[in-house]
Structures are given as structure tokens and as C-alpha cells.
Amino acid sequence: MRAALNAVLLAALGAMAAGCSIDTAIPGRATKIVPATLYDPCTLPDDALHAIGVDPASAESDFVGVQSEGWEVCDWEADWFYITVFTTDVTVEEFRARPRTADFRAVDVGTRDAHTFRSTAASQLGLCDLVYSSSRGTVLIRADTKANEQIREDPCTVVLRTAVTLDPYIPD
């Protein structure tokens, strides 16, 4: 089930990124600033991962064995949920503008301008995303309830707590 959900996520994220590209060859168009190197979330230290309640040994650094250009990803497993950290060149505003984005809210994560949001897709009811800009790409942190598990806490509460804990380890 998780593999199927990750495959759907990969397809959706790839389509979103492809559909949001900016043609810099047209005079007067905005230029998207893309970092030379996206931050690799799999470099987060084990003590930070233990602090958010995930098992560092469960790390997966791709989408079901598939690398995706323009994205760095790492996810970890906890008892009833997964945490995934992505970095990308997709902007916060592009995430906000997605047709299925709902409940986009400003939240405090250190000194960052961060936002949580949910998807209106029925297949994504047990998850919450948090997004903010960094010097090494846009960071997206996701809390996702495991299939067949009861939601023990609001995923947006989990993702906010996760972001606050991981904040010192992610580039400004």
C-alpha cells in the first residue's frame, strides 16, 4: 500500500513540477532561482530523528526505488506514521496554488515563514504537509498515517512538532 501511495505521490509531484516551470527565455518573465544543490534530508542526524520518534534505520531516500529529478527525499517510519522530508525547486507559492491544496495556514517554525496545508484528495486524508523556503531549496515535511493504523494525533500537530525539532539541522 505504501509503495502504491508513493508512486502516486511521485507522479503528482512530477506533474506539478513540470506544470509549474517558468520559461526564462521570454523577456519580462520572472526567473525562478534554483539552488545549485538541493539539501539532502537523509543527512539529518540520528539524534534528531530519534527526537521526532522515527527509526533512523528505516530511512528510504527515493520514491519506491525511483529517483526523481529536481527532488531530494528521505522518509522514516514511526509506530503509527511516516515522516518524509523533501527538498525541491518548487516554490511555496506554487504549493499554495495547487488545485488540491486546502487549509493553507501560517505557522511558526523558528524564524522561518512556514505553512501547513492538507490535500483535498481522499487518498491523502491522513496526512499533513508543512512547507518553507531555505537556501538549499524549498523544504516540504510530511506526516503521513500508516495504512490500517488509527490516527492517534492530528498529522498537522505531528508535522509542526517535527519541523520545530528538525529546524536547527536544515539550512537557512
Side-chain angles (χ1 to χ4, degrees):
M1 179 70 164
R2 176 134 172 95
L5 289 175
N6 278 340
V8 169
L9 175 64
L10 173 62
L13 291 173
M16 179 183 65
C20 294
S21 64
I22 295 174
D23 184 355
T24 58
I26 299 173
R29 285 274 179 130
T31 302
K32 181 186 276 188
I33 298 176
V34 179
T37 305
L38 293 172
Y39 172 69
D40 179 0
C42 286
T43 63
L44 287 164
D46 287 357
D47 59 335
L49 298 172
H50 285 296
I52 63 171
V54 298
D55 177 9
S58 68
E60 291 186 30
S61 61
D62 52 34
F63 296 102
V64 196
V66 177
Q67 293 292 330
S68 180
E69 186 174 333
W71 292 85
E72 290 289 337
V73 61
C74 204
D75 72 3
W76 301 269
E77 186 174 344
D79 54 353
W80 63 274
F81 63 92
Y82 299 98
I83 292 294
T84 308
V85 179
F86 306 87
T87 57
T88 182
D89 64 351
V90 177
T91 68
V92 171
E93 285 307 313
E94 288 170 329
F95 279 109
R96 180 193 309 256
R98 292 185 326 177
R100 291 189 179 220
T101 294
D103 201 22
F104 203 86
R105 296 179 185 207
V107 293
D108 293 326
V109 176
T111 60
R112 301 180 194 268
D113 292 328
H115 298 84
T116 58
F117 64 94
R118 296 179 187 265
S119 172
T120 60
S123 64
Q124 297 183 344
L125 293 178
L127 62 84
C128 185
D129 294 312
L130 184 143
V131 65
Y132 57 80
S133 297
S134 84
S135 62
R136 303 244 335 254
T138 301
V139 176
L140 174 75
I141 302 173
R142 170 170 287 172
D144 186 5
T145 306
K146 287 182 176 180
N148 302 321
E149 288 286 337
Q150 288 287 86
I151 296 175
R152 300 181 195 171
E153 186 177 10
D154 179 358
C156 285
T157 301
V158 174
V159 80
L160 180 57
R161 183 176 57 244
T162 297
V164 168
T165 302
L166 297 180
D167 182 53
Y169 305 99
I170 296 178
D172 291 334

